Amino acid sequence: MIWTREIEHKNKYPNANVISLGIGDTTEPLPDVVALSMANYARKLSTPKGYRGYGAEQGCKALRKAIAETVYKDIGIKDSEVFVSDGAQGDICRLQLLFGSNMSVAVQDPTFPAYVDSSVIIGQTGDVNRESGSYQKIEYMACGPHNSFFPDLSKTGRTDIIFFCSPNNPTGHAASFEQLEQLVQFAQENGSIIVYDSAYAVYIKDGRPRSIYEVPGARKVAIEVSSFSKIAGFTGVRLGWTVVPEELLYSNGFPVIKDYNRVVCTCFNGASRISQAGGLACLSSEGFKAVLSLVDYYKENAEILLETFKSVGLRAYGGENAPYLWVHFPGSNSWDVFNEILEKTHIITVPGSGFGPAGKEFIRVTAFGHRENILEASKRLRSFLS
Amino acid sequence: MITTLSLLFSRPSSVSIPGKINGVVKCVASPSAEKTAYKTKVSRNENLAKLQAGYLFPEPRIGDTTEPIPEVITSAMSKRSYALSTVDGYSGYGAEQGEKVSNDLHSFLVWSYSLSPPYPISVLSSRLVCLFAPHVEQLRAAIASTYYADLGIEEDDIFVSDGAKSDISRLQVLFGSNVTMAVQDPSYPAYVDSSVILGQTGQFQKDVEKYGNIEYMRCTPENGFFPDLSTVRRTDIIFFCSPNNPTGYAASREQLTRLVQFAKENGSIIVYDSAYAMYVSDDSPRSIFEIPGAKEVALEVSSFSKYAGFTGVRLGWTAIPKDLLYSDGFPLAKDFNRIVCTCFNGASNIAQAGGLACVSAEGIKAMHEVVGFYKENTAIIVDTFESLGFKVYGGKNAPYVWVHFPGRSSWDVFSEILEKTHVVTTPGSGFGPGGEGFVRVSAFGHRENVLEACRRFKQLYK
């Protein structure tokens, strides 16, 4: 049993310096200007002039405006279309509440599990197939080396909702403009709604689209979810947003944004004002510069890890436009690989099968970590894998 | 320019604006469908369509705390914010120090894989963070010992959240669409609205101002603001708020004992909202778990909003006893944990640092002072309306005063008060048909504003 092996492992190596390249959590401290803005805001809550109570559920006006003008500069998103939240995971659940149980959904395979799990919880799916881990009624769009990590849409059945994450967790693939054009066209032809997760957009290096709304026509078919978590290290601070364009209409012509507003106002009470103050600081010119250099730090980690896997002859996908590497171990079982890596190098990764059946032969390695740990991990991986 | 004194929270379910209200009025109503615009082929969720259109509420928000947060609490949040910019102080997903948690993460991952069915990894890791994050652990333990000492509620029964409104929705997601629910009438609108969204209800019936399939438990002066349980149909879930928003009534030990018994006999689950518990002045219970047997039939939702002025900071909790089981014996807490880990990613770490300070000895003292201040406001308001000859309810154990205007439409009274005194109150019918004939006056406000409002009431109704 794995559990027993784990105990053996710990007993065998009681002094092992375990390095985690597993959980996708940021590690580097916040930029001073951002932390300071939150500290000041918190302090002012003790003063009559600085005290604030309930904020608008959709977020404070200044932050909605800053997101629309900074993140969606020249893309034409209105601040009224931006809904500030406590993060993508909360938003995905609220979107599922919005959609209800009578929806068919498609997800990439592999995929961030929350799309699937929230779909199950809301009642959109059938039972799970124990062996494969797939749920009935969900359309799984395989993404792998064979199709350049973009689904073959000609083989994809129509669903009401299409969850699409780019840059992708876990594969790290950032869809090209042409691919996203195809996706938008597919959604248009099928009358589907794309829920586009752009949480890692800021990691893109090579000019690929950072927002689905860069594709003409996307405003009529897509909702976009994003987060400050991986941009600004806000994984614990909790701040994100969802864009619902005014032109996005249900089949009866009713604007989706009006219902989403209702869900937000009933099921949520706004992101913490302190977090929102931090978000504003992140989007200021000084803050944004500082935040981007944090992102660069993780990007450099990713380069180091990419180089490591390349040097030992392994195919590592992703890592270029995302803080995740998707390493292929053809013919193997990802849990076995995970265990072996842990056993031999004391490095925690994530078995690809946790993200869906198509992840079976892959391991996800994250680029979040202190540089010295990344370097140490690289050393160990090189010696073990070569 | 009307100077509105924000004394109340207004969230009526189906009303028209009686003249101009100061500030921006947000109106969510059905637009007409455009004929030429592209439409998706996705059907609108009919549950959203059931929600009443013309959902109006004036800005700024009312029913909102106004007094600054005690310094002992904000300095903790300030410190935590600074700390996030340091190597030792930074934390991500609830982990205090990444390295320290990783061994536990690994053990948990491999152990969890051995469970059936195998859980996707990211769910597991976020669940781990839910369970093992040291900061969260501290706050859970502190909440348990502060509010539930000797009541048999332990730290791992506590789920820290971003507040009661979100928790209520997460509980509804937990329950699903195939449950029946009962609410007090009048009640905080989020219980009903979230029920509609989840698909538990029928259509809104305009003649009775009720949604089909919800059991409304009338609470009036005639029944001492506690429902006549002998006339209440069995439902799966019973939402019960005490001290109550909007009536201000705090149920007695004897009444809650009957409620627990009722739930026991019917195999129902009580969702007990204790957000105003710290306002209790007499020996009314502060927690449902003070009632023997409650741990098998009830869970409790609470919040720092009205204790520490955290309405904008966002922090609360839900307590689910281990003994609360579904009909098949499965513990509710396990499923709620799953919901929390799938649909949520934790309350802000800065807010949680504030929460820890709230439940420190100094913080509790400070919160009592804040609560005490609003209670003094309440007394002033009660005194004012009583001196004018009104029947006034609540106000003893809650920051709400429930003023009776027999035979009058609550919206008419609201308008009259607004036009003649420029004070914003909340029409009782906004909380359900049982609120008709009443107006809710909340005690949140700067002392000078409360005094001024009361002066104006005295003028109007002398």
Side-chain angles (χ1 to χ4, degrees):
Chain A
M1 208 51 276
I2 299 169
W3 176 235
T4 336
R5 286 188 57 217
E6 168 54 20
I7 300 191
E8 283 172 13
H9 175 83
K10 282 192 147 187
N11 290 336
K12 235 202 284 180
Y13 311 106
N15 300 314
N17 174 17
V18 178
I19 296 177
S20 177
L21 299 182
I23 192 169
D25 193 7
T26 46
T27 54
E28 300 314 289
L30 301 182
D32 285 345
V33 64
V34 174
L36 198 73
S37 73
M38 295 195 290
N40 283 338
Y41 191 91
R43 208 171 23 86
K44 289 211 203 106
L45 291 171
S46 280
T47 67
K49 284 223 163 93
Y51 179 72
R52 297 286 182 275
Y54 284 118
E57 292 97 334
Q58 305 86 349
C60 78
K61 283 205 174 86
L63 182 55
R64 297 174 84 183
K65 192 160 177 282
I67 290 169
E69 290 175 1
T70 312
V71 179
Y72 297 99
K73 188 173 184 319
D74 304 326
I75 297 181
I77 296 294
K78 300 188 193 166
D79 40 0
S80 56
E81 295 173 323
V82 177
F83 293 81
V84 178
S85 75
D86 65 328
Q89 203 148 288
D91 277 347
I92 283 157
C93 187
R94 282 181 281 270
L95 285 167
Q96 294 287 32
L97 271 175
L98 168 76
F99 297 137
S101 56
N102 277 346
M103 285 285 161
S104 51
V105 312
V107 295
Q108 290 163 292
D109 176 15
T111 184
F112 177 54
Y115 315 135
V116 171
D117 290 354
S118 59
S119 183
V120 175
I121 285 171
I122 280 288
Q124 295 161 352
T125 79
D127 286 323
V128 68
N129 175 322
R130 291 281 159 119
E131 263 189 44
S132 66
S134 324
Y135 286 88
Q136 287 169 2
K137 289 214 241 162
I138 294 187
E139 180 79 10
Y140 290 85
M141 307 182 292
C143 293
H146 62 286
N147 59 11
S148 306
F149 292 96
F150 188 77
D152 182 351
L153 295 173
S154 69
K155 298 210 173 74
T156 305
R158 183 207 173 269
T159 56
D160 295 305
I161 310 297
I162 305 168
F163 284 95
F164 199 90
C165 177
S166 177
N168 189 264
N169 172 16
T171 70
H173 176 74
S176 68
F177 184 83
E178 291 69 35
Q179 288 173 332
L180 292 182
E181 263 187 323
Q182 275 183 57
L183 183 67
V184 167
Q185 188 177 354
F186 179 71
Q188 265 168 355
E189 285 163 7
N190 285 338
S192 310
I193 294 177
I194 299 167
V195 174
Y196 190 82
D197 186 340
S198 65
Y200 303 99
V202 80
Y203 288 81
I204 292 174
K205 279 191 211 161
D206 59 8
R208 287 164 190 251
R210 291 181 175 215
S211 163
I212 189 65
Y213 303 115
E214 292 182 33
V215 178
R219 283 178 60 88
K220 302 193 182 112
V221 300
I223 291 170
E224 184 161 305
V225 178
S226 193
S227 168
F228 283 88
S229 283
K230 308 296 164 55
I231 298 175
F234 267 31
T235 41
V237 174
R238 306 309 317 148
L239 192 71
W241 72 87
T242 288
V243 175
V244 185
E246 287 168 355
E247 292 98 299
L248 185 64
L249 308 177
Y250 286 116
S251 54
N252 68 354
F254 194 84
V256 177
I257 190 173
K258 291 204 146 70
D259 274 352
Y260 190 63
N261 188 58
R262 202 62 201 267
V263 170
V264 162
C265 290
T266 302
C267 305
F268 186 55
N269 230 335
S272 175
R273 283 188 180 268
I274 301 170
S275 309
Q276 293 192 60
L280 260 175
C282 287
L283 297 178
S284 69
S285 58
E286 188 194 342
F288 205 50
K289 240 177 38 217
V291 147
L292 288 182
S293 69
L294 255 186
V295 170
D296 281 342
Y297 181 89
Y298 295 126
K299 279 169 159 176
E300 282 157 19
N301 284 353
E303 279 168 22
I304 293 167
L305 290 166
L306 263 179
E307 188 47 48
T308 300
F309 287 107
K310 198 157 122 196
S311 73
V312 298
L314 279 168
R315 286 310 296 272
Y317 299 95
E320 268 159 13
N321 291 307
Y324 298 120
L325 279 73
W326 190 236
V327 189
H328 198 190
F329 293 84
S332 47
N333 174 305
S334 57
W335 270 101
D336 293 339
V337 178
F338 162 84
N339 278 319
E340 231 202 319
I341 291 178
L342 176 64
E343 171 72 28
K344 301 279 166 64
T345 69
H346 311 303
I347 294 172
I348 300 174
T349 58
V350 187
S353 55
F355 300 96
K360 188 153 134 315
E361 295 178 352
F362 293 82
I363 291 286
R364 190 192 78 174
V365 178
T366 86
F368 298 120
H370 299 315
R371 184 59 52 81
E372 59 268 22
N373 288 333
I374 300 291
L375 292 169
E376 172 64 21
S378 296
K379 219 168 61 187
R380 297 185 198 172
L381 287 167
R382 262 182 226 259
S383 67
F384 166 61
L385 292 168
S386 56
Chain B
M1 170 80 176
I2 299 174
T3 314
T4 38
L5 299 178
S6 298
L7 284 188
L8 293 179
F9 172 75
S10 176
R11 278 265 179 99
S13 47
S14 118
V15 290
S16 55
I17 311 180
K20 196 155 192 260
I21 301 178
N22 186 44
V24 177
V25 177
K26 216 177 280 177
C27 176
V28 180
S30 300
S32 53
E34 287 187 39
K35 294 188 187 83
T36 53
Y38 169 85
K39 297 185 270 243
T40 66
K41 294 200 182 102
V42 179
S43 304
R44 183 184 183 204
N45 183 345
E46 59 187 20
N47 296 325
L48 269 300
K50 285 179 196 150
L51 279 174
Q52 283 306 285
Y55 187 78
L56 306 166
F57 47 96
E59 300 221 39
R61 191 92 140 265
I62 45 183
D64 191 7
T65 46
T66 54
E67 301 313 289
I69 298 174
E71 269 187 51
V72 59
I73 297 164
T74 54
S75 66
M77 295 195 289
S78 201
K79 262 221 290 277
R80 184 89 185 96
S81 303
Y82 276 125
L84 290 172
S85 64
T86 67
V87 171
D88 287 335
Y90 179 76
S91 66
Y93 285 121
E96 180 93 89
Q97 294 139 28
E99 293 307 306
K100 194 166 146 204
V101 171
S102 66
N103 284 319
D104 302 307
L105 166 64
H106 170 63
S107 317
F108 188 77
L109 281 178
V110 293
W111 166 72
S112 295
Y113 186 68
S114 66
L115 300 174
S116 170
Y119 295 149
I121 298 308
S122 296
V123 171
L124 295 176
S125 22
S126 59
R127 171 184 300 194
L128 167 74
V129 163
C130 289
L131 299 179
F132 285 82
H135 247 139
V136 187
E137 281 303 293
Q138 267 190 291
L139 181 55
R140 297 168 88 184
I143 289 171
S145 65
T146 301
Y147 294 103
Y148 302 103
D150 306 324
L151 294 182
I153 294 295
E154 298 161 336
E155 70 179 76
D156 55 355
D157 300 327
I158 306 290
F159 294 84
V160 176
S161 76
D162 65 323
K165 207 174 177 196
S166 306
D167 272 344
I168 283 157
S169 278
R170 282 188 280 268
L171 285 165
Q172 295 287 35
V173 169
L174 170 74
F175 297 138
S177 57
N178 277 345
V179 295
T180 52
M181 61 96 98
V183 289
Q184 289 162 293
D185 175 22
S187 75
Y188 177 54
Y191 314 137
V192 167
D193 289 355
S194 59
S195 183
V196 175
I197 289 176
L198 258 298
Q200 296 163 358
T201 80
Q203 295 291 337
F204 186 75
Q205 294 147 12
K206 282 208 154 80
D207 53 346
V208 290
E209 291 194 356
K210 294 179 177 180
Y211 286 93
N213 214 34
I214 293 184
E215 181 71 6
Y216 289 79
M217 306 183 293
R218 182 89 15 148
C219 291
T220 60
E222 288 74 29
N223 60 16
F225 293 100
F226 188 79
D228 179 356
L229 296 175
S230 69
T231 64
V232 176
R233 259 187 313 125
R234 183 204 175 274
T235 56
D236 296 305
I237 313 296
I238 304 169
F239 282 91
F240 201 89
C241 177
S242 180
N244 188 261
N245 173 15
T247 69
Y249 181 70
S252 69
R253 197 163 308 269
E254 183 271 330
Q255 287 169 332
L256 291 181
T257 304
R258 278 193 279 135
L259 182 68
V260 166
Q261 190 178 353
F262 179 71
K264 196 94 194 257
E265 285 162 7
N266 285 338
S268 309
I269 294 171
I270 299 167
V271 174
Y272 191 83
D273 186 342
S274 66
Y276 302 97
M278 283 182 77
Y279 287 80
V280 171
S281 304
D282 54 22
D283 61 358
S284 303
R286 287 158 167 76
S287 164
I288 190 67
F289 302 119
E290 291 181 37
I291 310 298
K295 288 209 286 294
E296 291 167 333
V297 300
L299 58 94
E300 184 162 300
V301 177
S302 195
S303 168
F304 285 98
S305 284
K306 307 293 163 56
Y307 302 158
F310 265 31
T311 39
V313 174
R314 309 309 319 146
L315 191 73
W317 72 87
T318 289
I320 305 188
K322 299 179 179 66
D323 296 333
L324 187 60
L325 309 176
Y326 286 116
S327 54
D328 66 356
F330 195 83
L332 240 92
K334 286 207 157 106
D335 273 354
F336 190 66
N337 189 57
R338 196 70 201 265
I339 301 278
V340 160
C341 292
T342 302
C343 302
F344 186 51
N345 231 330
S348 175
N349 50 12
I350 298 166
Q352 292 193 57
L356 259 177
C358 282
V359 292
S360 68
E362 205 186 334
I364 291 170
K365 198 153 143 267
M367 287 197 296
H368 276 298
E369 279 167 21
V370 169
V371 167
F373 175 85
Y374 292 126
K375 275 164 133 176
E376 282 163 14
N377 283 353
T378 317
I380 292 167
I381 295 166
V382 168
D383 198 62
T384 297
F385 279 99
E386 279 184 340
S387 73
L388 291 168
F390 287 98
K391 278 317 283 270
V392 158
Y393 303 97
K396 264 204 293 271
N397 292 312
Y400 297 119
V401 184
W402 192 235
V403 187
H404 199 191
F405 289 82
R408 295 196 64 189
S409 135
S410 57
W411 268 99
D412 287 347
V413 178
F414 162 87
S415 302
E416 172 180 88
I417 293 177
L418 182 62
E419 278 169 32
K420 306 261 170 72
T421 70
H422 311 306
V423 176
V424 186
T425 60
T426 311
S429 56
F431 299 96
E436 185 56 285
F438 291 87
V439 150
R440 189 194 76 174
V441 186
S442 93
F444 300 119
H446 299 314
R447 183 58 52 80
E448 59 270 21
N449 287 341
V450 173
L451 290 169
E452 177 61 23
C454 287
R455 264 193 287 273
R456 297 182 191 179
F457 293 147
K458 285 194 171 132
Q459 270 299 106
L460 176 60
Y461 289 115
K462 63 172 185 251

